[in-house]
């Protein structure tokens, strides 16, 4: 999921305008291009070691829907 896609979901559930946000679909080149490994997923090992539940029981969209509804209450 891109940052733009996350922004779309957040704006949808908070009923905020998003027309001023523009998705960047042009790949960065040269010095602007960040060198990243193919898998840049963060490790949750330390969180698990201290007892933090790292399971994702719901998706980003459904979590934001529930969070926005809780804000209204």
């Amino acid at each position: 999921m891109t940052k733009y896609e996350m922004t779309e979901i957040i704006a949808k559930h908070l009923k905020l305008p998003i027309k001023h946000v523009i998705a960047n679909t042009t790949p960065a080149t040269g010095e602007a291009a960040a060198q990243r490994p193919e898998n840049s997923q963060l490790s949750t090992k330390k969180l698990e070691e201290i007892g933090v539940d790292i399971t994702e029981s719901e998706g980003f969209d459904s979590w934001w829907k529930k969070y926005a509804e809780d804000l209204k209450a």
Side-chain angles (χ1 to χ4, degrees):
M1 181 176 287
T2 67
K3 291 177 185 176
Y4 181 78
E5 291 167 332
M6 290 188 285
T7 302
E8 286 180 309
I9 290 170
I10 294 166
K12 173 179 74 172
H13 293 299
L14 296 179
K15 299 188 181 353
L16 295 172
I18 194 173
K19 291 179 183 178
H20 63 286
V21 179
I22 301 166
N24 183 356
T25 58
T26 306
T29 59
E31 291 182 20
Q35 297 296 319
R36 293 188 178 92
E38 188 173 320
N39 179 358
S40 59
Q41 186 175 20
L42 295 175
S43 172
T44 57
K45 182 179 178 182
K46 295 289 185 189
L47 292 173
E48 291 177 278
E49 288 174 357
I50 62 171
V52 175
D53 181 9
I54 54 93
T55 57
E56 294 183 32
S57 58
E58 60 187 305
F60 191 78
D61 192 348
S62 60
W63 186 91
W64 268 99
K65 180 180 179 183
K66 189 167 94 176
Y67 181 74
E69 289 170 353
D70 289 346
L71 287 175
K72 293 177 193 173

